[in-house]
Amino acid sequence: METAYLCVFFVCLLRVAHMYNLTDEADLHAALFSGYNTELRPGNNRDYPLNVSVVFHLFAIKEFVEVTSKFSVNGVFQMSWKDERLSWNPSMYGNCSYTLISQNKIWLPNIVTSNPFKESYGLGSDLVKVYLSSDGTCNWVTMHSFDVICDADVTYYPFDKQYCALKFAPYSIGSSWMNITFPSSKLTLSSYEENGLWEIEDSTAFSTDLSGTVEVILGLYLRRRPTYYIASLLLPMTFVAVLQSFVLLIPNESGERIGYSVTMLLASVVFLTLVQEKLPESSEPNISILGYLLLGYISLGALLTLVVILSSNLLIQTKPVPKWLQSVFCMRQTKVHNIAAARDTSPKEPDLKEDDSEIDWKEISKKFDRFCFVTFQILYAVQLIVYFSLVLGKTS
């Protein structure tokens, strides 16, 4: 046991003996930056581009405003490259194998955003340090909040999927001078915090040669979480629209039909306003199918208001019922009586008195309301079936 403690003691003593001090690191910095030119790109062989390895760590999605096409994220760029001018022999400086230096003291890959929301900006700040190894390897880690443009396709809102990309390009540096590579074709999401409205289905990271200039593209495939929109928008909108058709079950004599119908129609218009505030004011590539659904609801609501007015007008008619209208309802009643007679096997003399009796306007108004009520329920159901078949069929 004592032997083990002695071994540990000597190892620690040896480590302390070889530990560099402040003077060693100061001498190292003085030697490294003596005659160093930050304007010159690293690389002894100028015929080959400098290889820069890039990893992007996504932390969070701040916001995605479809109306203004603003997409904001928080993330960290981790870049590494080799600068032979910054290499040294650790044994000459107290076995100092690494050091930290300010980013403004060395050459940096000057990468700026190429699809900014407001204005282009570079990476890093004067507060950021670069981790420098003795072999000349530079590791630059810089955190930033990025605001870029992402045009949303809201065709299937709120069941839509979006693709947003952060694009960067080296300023005034061509592909023959610098080559950007990615160890992984995906973004690093180990520190990512889930967003309440958007779910990341996939990601991509790659660089392209765009007219002699390297362009870095960090893409995110997003899927909207529709639960909130279903509960707060789609279902209430549908309930209001269907509830409007129940105006036909209110007795005509109450005098409340017109007011009820107009009130529900105004409620549908309010929902239309809410939807328009959440969607971009553009028609490309397509406008939202939800807008068409709401337009159908409002159209049926307007038609329903006309039906209510027509039904009330039928009720107050004083003219005799036209023969053709009587024949329509008499034919319907005759069919009903024939079906009932076929079910009744007991011999009974036909009673034509009821079939031949005249029908008044009140009876016609009631039958008209029943027919329209069933028709509107079918139309609302057809609209919903068509909407969900279009939306879920494309997004599944």
Side-chain angles (χ1 to χ4, degrees):
M1 182 65 69
E2 293 181 358
T3 305
Y5 282 122
L6 287 174
C7 292
V8 172
F9 172 76
F10 283 115
V11 168
C12 294
L13 184 64
L14 185 64
R15 180 180 179 86
V16 172
H18 288 82
M19 185 67 66
Y20 66 92
N21 54 31
L22 180 61
T23 303
D24 294 330
E25 192 168 8
D27 293 341
L28 172 63
H29 280 226
L32 290 177
F33 298 107
S34 177
Y36 184 89
N37 190 347
T38 59
E39 302 295 330
L40 297 179
R41 173 183 66 87
N44 292 326
N45 193 339
R46 315 303 284 182
D47 293 332
Y48 294 94
L50 175 67
N51 291 320
V52 178
S53 177
V54 178
V55 177
F56 185 78
H57 302 265
L58 182 65
F59 284 173
I61 297 176
K62 291 175 57 180
E63 61 178 348
F64 184 16
V65 185
E66 298 93 328
V67 178
T68 59
S69 300
K70 180 182 179 181
F71 182 63
S72 302
V73 300
N74 289 335
V76 168
F77 264 108
Q78 181 180 352
M79 300 186 187
S80 62
W81 65 94
K82 181 171 286 189
D83 191 339
E84 294 84 353
R85 296 171 297 177
L86 298 177
S87 60
W88 70 91
N89 187 356
S91 60
M92 298 177 60
Y93 301 96
N95 288 329
C96 177
S97 59
Y98 68 91
T99 186
L100 295 175
I101 55 177
S102 299
Q103 69 169 38
N104 56 5
K105 289 186 176 181
I106 66 172
W107 177 92
L108 294 175
N110 193 11
I111 295 180
V112 298
T113 55
S114 57
N115 64 334
F117 180 73
K118 288 186 177 180
E119 58 184 16
S120 297
Y121 48 85
L123 302 178
S125 67
D126 294 338
L127 300 177
V128 177
K129 302 292 184 179
V130 179
Y131 183 91
L132 182 61
S133 301
S134 60
D135 61 349
T137 301
C138 301
N139 286 283
W140 182 35
V141 179
T142 174
M143 183 177 181
H144 213 290
S145 179
F146 303 97
D147 298 334
V148 298
I149 294 176
C150 180
D151 294 326
D153 182 5
V154 294
T155 304
Y156 305 106
Y157 174 91
F159 302 94
D160 53 325
K161 297 180 180 180
Q162 305 293 339
Y163 173 74
C164 292
L166 286 76
K167 298 181 180 180
F168 302 88
Y171 187 74
S172 302
I173 299 178
S175 57
S176 60
W177 278 73
M178 186 170 64
N179 180 35
I180 298 178
T181 60
F182 289 87
S184 174
S185 60
K186 307 287 184 181
L187 303 186
T188 304
L189 303 177
S190 57
S191 302
Y192 173 72
E193 295 182 4
E194 290 291 337
N195 186 269
L197 294 179
W198 296 97
E199 175 187 358
I200 298 179
E201 289 191 327
D202 198 3
S203 64
T204 181
F206 61 95
S207 61
T208 60
D209 189 347
L210 184 62
S211 301
T213 302
V214 180
E215 185 176 36
V216 176
I217 299 178
L218 309 174
L220 289 172
Y221 293 90
L222 307 175
R223 182 187 184 96
R224 191 190 301 271
R225 303 180 191 271
T227 307
Y228 167 78
Y229 301 95
I230 293 175
S232 63
L233 185 63
L234 186 58
L235 289 181
M237 181 178 66
T238 303
F239 290 156
V240 169
V242 174
L243 190 60
Q244 187 176 359
S245 63
F246 281 81
V247 68
L248 297 172
L249 301 182
I250 299 176
N252 240 326
E253 296 81 359
S254 64
E256 299 293 336
R257 281 189 163 194
I258 300 298
Y260 177 88
S261 180
V262 173
T263 301
M264 302 303 290
L265 181 60
L266 291 177
S268 298
V269 174
V270 170
F271 276 109
L272 177 61
T273 305
L274 294 177
V275 173
Q276 289 178 340
E277 290 178 352
K278 295 179 177 294
L279 301 181
E281 298 177 356
S282 62
S283 299
E284 292 295 337
N286 291 299
I287 66 174
S288 176
I289 299 178
L290 182 63
Y292 287 116
L293 176 64
L294 188 53
L295 178 61
Y297 284 164
I298 294 177
S299 300
L300 289 180
L303 181 61
L304 189 57
T305 303
L306 295 178
V307 168
V308 170
I309 296 174
L310 179 59
S311 177
S312 300
N313 191 33
L314 292 176
L315 185 63
I316 62 175
Q317 290 292 325
T318 57
K319 298 178 182 180
V321 180
K323 296 295 183 181
W324 66 271
L325 195 56
Q326 289 190 28
S327 62
V328 170
F329 284 96
C330 287
M331 288 177 59
R332 184 177 180 277
Q333 288 184 356
T334 303
K335 290 181 179 179
V336 173
H337 291 164
N338 290 338
I339 294 174
R343 293 177 179 177
D344 190 2
T345 57
S346 60
K348 187 181 296 185
E349 293 184 2
D351 185 9
L352 301 177
K353 183 177 179 180
E354 186 178 356
D355 292 342
D356 295 336
S357 62
E358 293 186 357
I359 301 176
D360 58 1
W361 287 107
K362 183 177 181 180
E363 185 67 21
I364 291 177
S365 177
K366 290 182 178 180
K367 295 182 181 296
F368 179 72
D369 289 344
R370 294 171 187 170
F371 171 77
C372 291
F373 177 76
V374 175
T375 302
F376 275 96
Q377 298 303 318
I378 294 175
L379 291 177
Y380 283 126
V382 169
Q383 282 187 328
L384 281 175
I385 292 174
V386 172
Y387 171 74
F388 281 107
S389 62
L390 291 175
V391 170
L392 300 181
K394 292 294 183 178
T395 58
S396 60

